[in-house]
Amino acid sequence: MKHFTLKFLAILLPIQIALISILKLFPKFIEQYYSQNLFFVISKTQHFLLSWIPFSFGDLLYAFIVIWILFWIFKLFRNKFKNFKIKLLEVLAFLSVFYFLFHFFWGLNYYRLPLHKNLKIGTEYSKTELVDFTCELIQRTNIAHRKLVSHDSTKVDFNFKQKELQDLVFDAYQNFENEKFHFKYERENVKPSLFSLPLSYAGFSGYVNPFTNEAQYNYKIPTYKLPTSIAHEIGHQLGYSKENEANFIASILSIHDKNPHVRYSGLTFALKYSLTDIYKSDPELSQVLISELNPGVMKNYKEVQGFWDKYRGPIELFMEMMYGNYLKINNQPKGMDSYNYVVALLVNYHKSFNIFE
Ligand SMILES: [Zn+2]
């Protein structure tokens, strides 16, 4: 590339960083003009262009970029760091383009209005409120469980093809009627990840490519877990970038769905977060509550736990650290811990609107 272009792009990097740090201060502005407007036009175009491709185009793009970077480094060493200044400019220009595309296509959503403000609900909750909510979830989970099995101690089998589950979740988004949420998800753009094996070792069930807005899921995870994982990724696709918000969206969507399997997976999903939260402050109480659950529900939980245990190892810890840092950079200061803050949204939403209706 011409030196001038490289220099120009490189100079744009600090300017962009400064701009983003100013924009961060105006979440209402981002909500109104980006998340609820421009972002929808961008993502709609991306879905139109890419949803028909049966594999993940974004994964291919990632693979290409990694190979390209490796080749670039190889050349740098082979030429013994000749023209190092230009090489440095190349790196800065690349980062500049990367930074721009990331924020323009999706990343700005990290700085939109927090969901609880949009919903006009609080974030505080008492232990009693949490326990009451959890008890109701347990009751409803047990009922949903018994609708799908003939015995309390049987785990629910999700005898679906993965594509069928994708379609069920897509339908759930289409059918979701709630005046507080207006999900505009017109084209199903969900694909099995080409990197599902490394994802399993890294401990991830899916991700959205911020450059193509395709949702990828780890096709190796137990099918019972797929509906909420896919619903979570679609939540990201709709501009709910933050983990806790995508988890909340996945919960409310699947709890409301008419399909009993999707509903069961949603109830157990929300319940897991609530029980974990109680466990942190009162492990004994959480044990008492767990004993109220049908043993078959526990078998579904254990199936998922067993899956992750199979892949557990240093890579997972490393990836958690990396992703934790990524979240911290992108306006989620609590990093991986923010996965648990979904409880604040669940309990407070339930307090104001009754999540089961
Ligand atoms: Zn996520």
Side-chain angles (χ1 to χ4, degrees):
M1 219 184 286
K2 287 253 170 63
H3 288 187
F4 174 77
T5 320
L6 285 176
K7 265 188 201 159
F8 179 70
L9 288 173
I11 289 168
L12 280 181
L13 182 61
I15 296 174
Q16 288 185 79
I17 294 175
L19 250 168
I20 294 282
S21 36
I22 295 169
L23 270 176
K24 265 183 208 178
L25 306 172
F26 302 97
K28 260 191 187 163
F29 177 83
I30 293 181
E31 178 72 36
Q32 202 181 340
Y33 294 102
Y34 180 76
S35 300
Q36 309 235 10
N37 267 297
L38 181 61
F39 171 69
F40 274 114
V41 180
I42 296 168
S43 56
K44 211 176 157 174
T45 314
Q46 287 167 316
H47 294 317
F48 173 74
L49 291 173
L50 299 171
S51 59
W52 61 274
I53 305 177
F55 58 87
S56 163
F57 178 76
D59 281 359
L60 216 64
L61 202 69
Y62 277 156
F64 174 77
I65 291 173
V66 169
I67 292 169
W68 185 70
I69 290 174
L70 289 175
F71 186 66
W72 186 90
I73 295 172
F74 169 76
K75 262 189 6 195
L76 188 73
F77 275 91
R78 198 186 56 187
N79 297 335
K80 299 189 176 107
F81 294 86
K82 218 168 61 190
N83 296 332
F84 189 65
K85 262 192 186 162
I86 294 172
K87 291 289 164 194
L88 199 69
L89 269 184
E90 277 179 18
V91 173
L92 290 173
F94 173 78
L95 288 177
S96 180
V97 173
F98 193 83
Y99 192 84
F100 173 77
L101 293 179
F102 173 79
H103 286 96
F104 181 72
F105 282 158
W106 187 73
L108 266 183
N109 284 315
Y110 276 117
Y111 309 112
R112 71 190 291 182
L113 217 54
L115 188 52
H116 73 271
K117 285 200 178 155
N118 251 335
L119 293 169
K120 299 188 175 66
I121 57 173
T123 50
E124 303 286 321
Y125 56 93
S126 67
K127 187 177 169 185
T128 321
E129 285 167 339
L130 172 63
V131 174
D132 286 351
F133 174 64
T134 309
C135 286
E136 192 167 354
L137 262 180
I138 290 176
Q139 276 178 11
R140 289 180 185 265
T141 301
N142 283 341
I143 295 169
H145 173 253
R146 277 311 303 268
K147 276 190 186 154
L148 293 166
V149 291
S150 54
H151 199 274
D152 277 2
S153 59
T154 316
K155 87 174 166 72
V156 177
D157 279 321
F158 278 57
N159 293 321
F160 294 96
K161 289 199 177 79
Q162 293 179 333
K163 175 73 174 109
E164 285 171 341
L165 288 174
Q166 272 178 233
D167 294 346
L168 278 179
V169 180
F170 178 69
D171 290 344
Y173 270 98
Q174 303 299 305
N175 299 333
F176 189 74
E177 271 177 35
N178 186 313
E179 55 191 37
K180 281 152 217 92
F181 297 96
H182 300 285
F183 297 135
K184 290 182 228 160
Y185 192 63
E186 290 158 13
R187 268 172 220 269
E188 187 182 325
N189 195 8
V190 179
K191 295 157 187 190
S193 169
L194 298 179
F195 311 122
S196 289
L197 185 66
L199 272 190
S200 302
Y201 281 107
F204 286 99
S205 3
Y207 53 93
V208 161
N209 187 313
F211 304 98
T212 64
N213 207 311
E214 289 164 296
Q216 287 76 209
Y217 62 88
N218 178 347
Y219 65 78
K220 291 189 170 290
I221 60 172
T223 39
Y224 147 70
K225 197 69 195 63
L226 271 183
T228 46
S229 294
I230 293 173
H232 171 105
E233 299 312 332
I234 294 179
H236 281 325
Q237 282 184 309
L238 290 167
Y240 298 98
S241 305
K242 293 183 181 170
E243 291 307 324
N244 50 3
E245 297 186 354
N247 281 333
F248 173 74
I249 299 284
S251 306
I252 193 166
L253 175 98
S254 40
I255 288 174
H256 275 255
D257 197 41
K258 59 182 189 313
N259 180 286
H261 281 87
V262 173
R263 191 172 147 76
Y264 173 73
S265 96
L267 286 163
T268 50
F269 183 69
L271 179 59
K272 197 194 75 188
Y273 284 103
S274 309
L275 284 171
T276 310
D277 209 46
I278 295 176
Y279 177 81
K280 277 194 248 160
S281 62
D282 194 342
E284 274 169 39
L285 178 61
S286 73
Q287 279 310 316
V288 175
L289 292 171
I290 286 170
S291 68
E292 299 286 314
L293 267 177
N294 290 348
V297 178
M298 287 310 290
K299 286 183 183 161
N300 277 116
Y301 281 140
K302 281 184 185 142
E303 181 192 13
V304 177
Q305 194 54 49
F307 168 79
W308 292 117
D309 287 346
K310 253 193 344 201
Y311 293 98
R312 223 178 177 80
I315 300 173
E316 187 187 357
L317 291 174
F318 173 74
M319 287 303 290
E320 270 181 14
M321 206 176 77
M322 295 284 288
Y323 190 57
N325 282 329
Y326 165 84
L327 293 180
K328 280 176 196 162
I329 293 166
N330 286 299
N331 214 21
Q332 294 182 81
K334 293 187 178 76
M336 287 295 272
D337 292 341
S338 62
Y339 273 86
N340 298 332
Y341 279 79
V342 63
V343 175
L345 285 169
L346 286 170
V347 176
N348 279 284
Y349 184 89
H350 185 57
K351 245 196 302 189
S352 305
F353 309 115
N354 189 353
I355 200 162
F356 304 110
E357 276 172 11

